[in-house]
Amino acid sequence: MELLIMAYALKTSCARNIIGVIPYFPYSKQSKMRKRGSIVCKLLASMLAKAGLTHIITMDLHQKEIQGFFSFPVDNLRASPFLLQYIQEEIPDYRNAVIVAKSPDAAKRAQSYAERLRLGLAVIHGEAQCTEQDMDDGRHSPPMVKNTTVHPGLELPLMMAKEKPPITVVGDVGGRIAIIVDDIIDDVESFVAAAEILKERGAYKIFVMATHGLLSADAPRLIEESSIDEVVVTNTVPHEVQKLQCPKIKTVDISLILSEAIRRIHNGESMAYLFRNITVDD
């Protein structure tokens, strides 16, 4: 709301361009329609346009298709070059590492990291994972009643319950360093469960790397008590309090690319340089 109010104030003051720098775009996970729910990202894009914004700089949108919701330019910068540099400089013997996707949904991102580092790839698949589509959203209403009257000509087919296969790790992690990559770390239960599985499969060190470290609720305590050796996130979201609670959390500074993007837009220069060496799946 503060951003919308400030943008509207600038619009009514006849500003020529209003550029919003939003490193972590809120509600970015709500970009698809689930059952009959709302697409909050579309609503937010419409509100920003109505308030008067003419350009947005953001980083690692949860889905790249979100850019299509906007009627003005969106520069979706990438944090992967900074995280790759951290792996190469701060993780000893990173050549003995394997990039891990904690679910099949994250496999493309993990593959992008693995190809640029020339490392192996592993994917965790099975019943321990809870995808966004499986979460109970409270819309199973009204409750089922046995003696309900149904229109005589209406026979709806029964939906089969989805059963996940047993947990498996596709790829060899025995005696290796496991690096789990994702875009957002919020609820860490899935990362902690993935770390336990990787430990059982023989990984001797486990790193978790992501762009946005929301780390809400009891995340610092759960990380501290887990098998995870280090959680590396960028400073798109402030997390100083979480770092005090858990020394395993490390920060990578990405202010350099944001400041360069602001400078290039202000001077009317090309933004293509900031997207060099970026793969399609990144």
Side-chain angles (χ1 to χ4, degrees), residues 98-112:
V98 60
I99 305 298
V100 180
K102 71 179 179 65
S103 66
D105 296 335
K108 283 188 175 181
R109 181 182 299 270
Q111 182 183 358
S112 170

Side-chain angles (χ1 to χ4, degrees), residues 64 78 108-112 115 278-282:
K64 289 190 284 293
R78 307 295 199 278
K108 283 188 175 181
R109 181 182 299 270
Q111 182 183 358
S112 170
E115 287 176 352
I278 298 298
T279 61
V280 175
D281 296 324
D282 190 5

Side-chain angles (χ1 to χ4, degrees), residues 11-260:
K11 179 184 177 182
T12 53
S13 300
C14 300
R16 184 175 63 182
N17 288 315
I18 305 170
I19 301 165
V21 183
I22 312 173
Y24 169 64
F25 193 78
Y27 302 100
S28 59
K29 281 194 171 184
Q30 300 182 40
S31 58
K32 298 178 182 177
M33 181 174 285
R34 298 186 185 90
K35 298 180 181 173
R36 297 182 66 210
S38 62
I39 306 174
V40 183
C41 261
K42 174 61 178 172
L43 170 65
L44 197 56
S46 302
M47 291 169 68
L48 291 169
K50 189 71 175 176
L53 266 76
T54 59
H55 199 138
I56 277 182
I57 302 171
T58 187
M59 180 160 282
D60 278 342
L61 289 170
H62 186 61
Q63 299 285 342
K64 289 190 284 293
E65 294 79 4
I66 292 171
Q67 295 171 82
F69 292 157
F70 292 88
S71 56
F72 50 81
V74 177
D75 282 313
N76 180 29
L77 303 175
R78 307 295 199 278
S80 59
F82 295 90
L83 296 175
L84 291 169
Q85 184 181 8
Y86 184 93
I87 292 172
Q88 292 171 327
E89 295 179 357
E90 302 295 333
I91 299 180
D93 195 24
Y94 81 92
R95 289 291 179 192
N96 189 37
V98 60
I99 305 298
V100 180
K102 71 179 179 65
S103 66
D105 296 335
K108 283 188 175 181
R109 181 182 299 270
Q111 182 183 358
S112 170
Y113 276 68
E115 287 176 352
R116 281 181 283 177
L117 289 168
R118 293 180 173 84
L119 298 176
L121 177 67
V123 180
I124 299 173
H125 175 60
E127 61 188 2
Q129 304 303 318
C130 180
T131 61
E132 294 168 9
Q133 287 83 358
D134 295 335
M135 292 194 301
D136 185 11
D137 58 4
R139 294 191 179 90
H140 298 292
S141 60
M144 295 296 290
V145 182
K146 289 183 179 178
N147 298 325
T148 54
T149 56
V150 182
H151 190 275
L154 185 64
E155 288 292 333
L156 295 176
L158 292 174
M159 298 295 289
M160 297 294 292
K162 183 162 62 172
E163 294 183 5
K164 293 188 176 181
I167 193 73
T168 53
V169 178
V170 182
D172 181 25
V173 296
R176 313 283 287 278
I177 300 171
I179 303 174
I180 304 172
V181 296
D182 213 336
D183 60 335
I184 300 172
I185 300 180
D186 189 3
D187 298 324
V188 298
E189 284 86 354
S190 59
F191 291 94
V192 171
E196 293 294 335
I197 294 160
L198 293 170
K199 274 286 183 187
E200 292 174 7
R201 298 296 194 276
Y204 72 91
K205 229 175 184 184
I206 298 167
F207 291 81
V208 175
M209 312 201 78
T211 304
H212 309 294
L214 305 184
L215 303 170
S216 58
D218 290 333
R221 180 182 59 82
L222 293 172
I223 292 169
E224 186 65 29
E225 295 171 357
S226 72
S227 305
I228 298 170
D229 293 282
E230 199 168 284
V231 174
V232 183
V233 291
T234 70
N235 55 350
T236 55
V237 179
H239 50 264
E240 283 75 16
V241 176
Q242 289 91 332
K243 286 181 73 174
L244 292 173
Q245 296 172 352
C246 177
K248 291 182 179 181
I249 300 170
K250 308 295 180 185
T251 307
V252 174
D253 182 28
I254 47 86
S255 59
L256 183 68
I257 193 170
L258 289 174
S259 59
E260 180 63 15

